[in-house]
């Protein structure tokens, strides 16, 4: 796929894997790439269960997303696969705005319709991994949550090595393996990131007028 980047700067591969779909994205690295793909998947109603990111010295990024098709869109409508991939392609190529896609789904999770209030909790761990700082995020599960987290991480120059995504009811429990300039996160970075991330996630639950 990487050899075809000169023909098309966005290479996508989508394959069914039992109850999951495996999506691989290969393209030139850019800011907010992970966040944009996560947002596009959320806009299509896909539930991401695991994700990872890798880049080489040539600036080629390989992002992988493992997700469930909650509404069986791709299974029940085979023709939608082409539109789904075309939509993702345009998002990665920055031809389509992720924010516009997400607006169509946000009304489904209006804060006033949530049955359970889940407080945002963050926990950092720099001891369990030899190369990364682990960040666990527990928050209200709303469309675009992973994208908002990824945007905050990108703003603090944090690289996502692995993302483990889980949902229990209306509670999202996400774990990220993070580095900053190939090192673990300092306490200062953890502190400022925690403040900005908490603020951003809480803002997602604020009703819009």
């Amino acid at each position: 796929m990487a050899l075809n980047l000169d023909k098309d700067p966005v290479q996508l591969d989508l394959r069914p894997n039992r109850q999951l779909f495996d999506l691989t994205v290969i393209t030139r690295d850019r800011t907010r790439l992970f966040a944009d793909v996560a947002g596009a998947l959320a806009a299509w109603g896909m539930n991401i269960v695991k994700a990872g990111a890798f880049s080489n010295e040539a600036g080629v990024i390989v992002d992988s997303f493992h997700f469930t098709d909650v509404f069986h869109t791709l299974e029940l409508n085979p023709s939608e696969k082409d539109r789904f991939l075309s939509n993702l392609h345009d998002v990665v190529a920055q031809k389509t705005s992720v924010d516009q896609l997400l607006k169509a789904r946000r009304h489904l999770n209006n804060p006033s319709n949530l049955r359970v209030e889940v407080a945002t909790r963050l926990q950092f761990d720099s001891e369990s991994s030899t190369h990364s700082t682990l960040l666990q995020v527990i928050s209200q599960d709303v469309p675009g949550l992973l994208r908002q987290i990824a945007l905050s991480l990108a703003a603090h120059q944090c690289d996502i090595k692995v993302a483990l995504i889980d949902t229990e009811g209306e509670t999202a429990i996400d774990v990220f393996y993070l580095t900053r300039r190939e090192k673990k996160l300092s306490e200062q970075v953890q502190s400022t990131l925690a403040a900005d991330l908490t603020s951003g996630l809480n803002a997602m639950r604020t009703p819009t007028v």
Side-chain angles (χ1 to χ4, degrees):
M1 290 172 65
L3 297 177
N4 294 322
L5 287 176
D6 289 337
K7 299 177 182 178
D8 186 339
V10 178
Q11 295 292 317
L12 303 175
D13 182 65
L14 179 67
R15 301 184 183 187
N17 183 3
R18 297 182 181 179
Q19 283 77 36
L20 299 176
F21 282 90
D22 295 341
L23 172 69
T24 301
V25 180
I26 299 180
T27 188
R28 301 292 178 185
D29 198 8
R30 67 168 175 83
T31 58
R32 309 203 319 177
L33 175 62
F34 187 93
D36 285 350
V37 177
L41 291 175
W44 273 79
M46 305 303 177
N47 183 37
I48 301 170
V49 297
K50 186 177 180 180
F54 173 79
S55 62
N56 62 21
E57 294 181 355
V60 176
I61 188 78
V62 179
D63 284 353
S64 61
F65 295 84
H66 310 281
F67 62 87
T68 58
D69 183 0
V70 179
F71 302 106
H72 304 285
T73 302
L74 302 180
E75 176 186 345
L76 300 177
N77 305 279
S79 62
E80 283 291 86
K81 178 181 177 180
D82 290 339
R83 193 169 74 90
F84 173 71
L85 289 173
S86 177
N87 201 189
L88 282 174
H89 184 283
D90 288 347
V91 166
V92 175
Q94 296 182 289
K95 296 179 180 179
T96 297
S97 168
V98 180
D99 289 330
Q100 291 180 352
L101 296 177
L102 285 170
K103 283 180 181 178
R105 292 196 58 82
R106 282 190 179 131
H107 72 280
L108 299 176
N109 287 70
N110 188 288
S112 62
N113 296 332
L114 297 175
R115 293 168 294 180
V116 179
E117 184 74 17
V118 180
T120 299
R121 301 194 299 276
L122 308 179
Q123 181 177 352
F124 290 92
D125 175 9
S126 291
E127 303 298 328
S128 297
S129 171
T130 58
H131 54 78
S132 303
T133 295
L134 276 64
L135 167 62
Q136 182 184 66
V137 180
I138 299 176
S139 186
Q140 194 89 46
D141 185 33
V142 295
L145 175 68
L146 181 57
R147 178 174 185 259
Q148 180 59 50
I149 295 173
L151 287 175
S152 295
L153 294 176
H156 288 266
Q157 299 179 313
C158 296
D159 295 320
I160 301 172
K161 298 304 182 182
V162 177
L164 303 175
I165 315 302
D166 192 18
T167 304
E168 296 180 2
E170 293 183 2
T171 303
I173 306 172
D174 301 342
V175 177
F176 301 88
Y177 287 71
L178 306 173
T179 62
R180 188 172 188 265
R181 298 169 185 168
E182 299 303 321
K183 297 181 179 180
K184 295 182 180 182
L185 276 57
S186 67
E187 290 188 4
Q188 181 179 359
V189 171
Q190 292 180 30
S191 178
T192 55
L193 172 60
D196 290 348
L197 189 51
T198 300
S199 176
L201 296 182
N202 287 340
M204 295 185 71
R205 296 186 294 182
T206 303
T208 56
V209 180

